[in-house]
Amino acid sequence: MAWPFVKLGLAVIPQSWRTLVVPTDEPHAEAVGPDPDRVLVLGPGKSMGFGVNSHELGLGGHLARQLAVLTKRGCSVDIVSDPSMSLADTRVAVSWAHLERFDALVLTLGGTDILRIRSHFVWRRDVTALLDAVQESGGGALPTSVLGIAPADDVLSLPSFLLRIVNMNIAKLNTITEEQCNARAGVTFVPATAPSDDQRVPFESRTYEHWARELAPAIAVKLAHVAVPPATSELVNENQRVFDGSALATKEVSATLTAIMNSARVMFGTSGAAVTFHDQEAHWFTSTSGVGDMRREEAGAFCSSAFTTRGLVVLEDTMNDPRFADHPWVVRGPRIRFYAGYPISAANGHIIGAVCVFDTGPRTFDSSHESLLRELALRTESAIQRH
């Protein structure tokens, strides 16, 4: 879309957008892998993929691949974009985007806003309103990243002195946006810098790859919540030799684990129980009781601590632990306030999973409870080692 003029201060200056290639394929990108994370990229210009002919070469495609490398899981990226979107338009889009379906959100700013020399107070107000809308629509726990506005050299055809004015305004808007993002937990600001030392920011695949590399680490950490420490290749190979998960597919083991989880929930009087396994690259539930549908890739935040500890892990009130207070299982979904987990070991002694119980309210946990949970873990180990 092209606007016939832009008002800068008191002057009305003719202007035009440069003609740039845009993707014509479906606004979606995917990196294949287990338990894919769902990410929404929303906003003008950079989200759409100015300068490339496929979303696979744009921000969405590069971000999906970068996240898959870091998380060792799949990644599915949906893209909602229009070149004319303003900050206010983005806020409206957030309200109908069903953010509860996504594991992370990336907002890109710019669009028509770069042509408006607006009051900095108004910009601060509008950024605040946008982030408030995200918090409300995403349940307050959706990991959000904001990619700043890039210099306009590659998208606007203006006399050099006007382009300098636009870019100076962009720099100020970015400063205000970064301040607002830094003031909120769970929101990360990433500058839209050039892929090299050149001040010009070209809209092309290597720039989108650069931005994806800048965005991905912060997003991956929030998706993992509590990361499992990286294992050496020797340990991974050894674990795979002693436990490849095939036993979990048998009817006998599945029935036994289901019985153990039902018993755990009854004995502890909790709203839910689960047995979780991992292979250093993924987490998955084999059996759950009383919890309904729980996202398997979110198991890491609670269960990874049990995977890396030789004994009991207890969270009597998850809201009092900053590692877990903003986890999706705490703020929405099953709304877990209490968690206790005991590790499950393979025949060679390596930890391969955990038996856990959890509840929707905080509660205390004493030594007799530990013995009972350890017994359930031993019963689980026996079930999988027999097959």
Side-chain angles (χ1 to χ4, degrees):
M1 178 177 179
W3 291 270
F5 60 85
V6 55
K7 184 174 291 187
L8 294 174
L10 298 177
V12 177
I13 308 297
Q15 68 84 31
S16 63
W17 293 94
R18 295 185 186 276
T19 301
L20 292 174
V21 174
V22 294
T24 57
D25 54 354
E26 182 182 359
H28 179 81
E30 189 156 357
V32 177
D35 298 325
D37 295 305
R38 291 201 63 187
V39 178
L40 174 63
V41 176
L42 173 63
K46 298 185 294 297
S47 293
M48 171 169 282
F50 276 161
V52 296
N53 58 14
S54 169
H55 287 291
E56 291 297 331
L57 300 176
L59 182 61
H62 284 296
L63 184 61
R65 292 186 289 274
Q66 290 292 331
L67 284 173
V69 169
L70 294 176
T71 64
K72 308 300 182 184
R73 298 191 298 271
C75 185
S76 177
V77 176
D78 288 335
I79 301 156
V80 176
S81 181
D82 187 280
S84 65
M85 289 178 74
S86 65
L87 197 60
D89 296 330
T90 303
R91 177 160 53 88
V92 172
V94 162
S95 67
W96 52 255
H98 299 291
L99 296 186
E100 70 277 2
R101 299 179 302 162
F102 297 95
D103 302 299
L105 171 68
V106 176
L107 297 171
T108 66
L109 306 182
T112 60
D113 292 311
I114 68 174
L115 304 176
R116 301 169 181 171
I117 306 302
R118 301 164 63 193
S119 160
H120 295 152
F121 170 82
V122 172
W123 179 260
R124 184 176 286 106
R125 180 200 64 191
D126 289 350
V127 170
T128 300
L130 172 60
L131 296 179
D132 285 344
V134 170
Q135 184 173 17
E136 181 179 349
S137 301
L142 183 68
T144 302
S145 298
V146 178
L147 181 62
I149 308 172
D153 306 64
D154 223 42
V155 294
L156 289 181
S157 178
L158 287 174
S160 59
F161 77 97
L162 289 178
L163 197 56
R164 284 196 299 271
I165 294 174
V166 172
N167 284 338
M168 288 172 60
N169 185 56
I170 287 173
K172 182 58 180 179
L173 298 183
N174 280 331
T175 299
I176 295 171
T177 304
E178 184 172 10
E179 291 172 354
Q180 295 302 303
C181 292
N182 291 342
R184 294 177 182 250
V187 180
T188 302
F189 179 83
V190 175
T193 56
S196 61
D197 294 334
D198 189 357
Q199 290 185 345
R200 177 177 168 270
V201 181
F203 282 84
E204 56 192 30
S205 184
R206 67 187 182 99
T207 301
Y208 292 119
E209 181 180 13
H210 167 67
W211 290 340
R213 288 182 183 277
E214 296 294 309
L215 287 162
I219 298 173
V221 166
K222 292 172 184 176
L223 290 174
H225 295 283
V226 176
V228 179
T232 63
S233 58
E234 292 79 11
L235 178 58
V236 172
N237 290 336
E238 186 175 0
N239 275 349
Q240 290 175 342
R241 285 195 299 271
V242 300
F243 177 72
D244 62 5
S246 60
L248 305 180
T250 66
K251 292 183 179 180
E252 294 83 358
V253 172
S254 178
T256 300
L257 296 182
T258 298
I260 291 172
M261 291 305 97
N262 288 332
S263 297
R265 187 163 63 92
V266 171
M267 288 186 290
F268 283 92
T270 56
S271 59
V275 55
T276 309
F277 294 91
H278 79 130
D279 61 3
Q280 297 294 336
E281 293 187 351
H283 302 85
W284 67 93
F285 291 115
T286 293
S287 182
T288 59
S289 178
V291 297
D293 183 26
M294 299 178 72
R295 295 292 303 275
R296 294 182 292 176
E297 62 266 34
E298 295 171 349
F302 289 100
C303 300
S304 290
S305 51
F307 293 156
T308 57
T309 305
R310 304 307 306 184
L312 177 71
V313 174
V314 175
L315 300 169
E316 293 189 331
D317 190 345
T318 55
M319 295 296 292
N320 293 334
D321 191 320
R323 299 173 300 168
F324 303 92
D326 65 347
H327 190 277
W329 286 0
V330 176
V331 299
R332 60 179 186 269
R335 297 189 182 278
I336 294 174
R337 291 290 299 276
F338 165 82
Y339 168 89
Y342 202 93
I344 302 166
S345 299
N348 68 346
H350 291 310
I351 297 173
I352 57 173
V355 169
C356 56
V357 291
F358 34 84
D359 212 342
T360 55
R363 54 190 295 171
T364 58
F365 195 89
D366 61 30
S367 57
S368 64
H369 294 150
E370 178 178 358
S371 298
L372 185 56
L373 197 58
R374 182 174 65 246
E375 175 61 27
L376 292 171
L378 291 174
R379 287 169 56 187
T380 302
E381 291 175 4
S382 176
I384 62 175
Q385 290 173 13
R386 285 200 305 266
H387 296 270

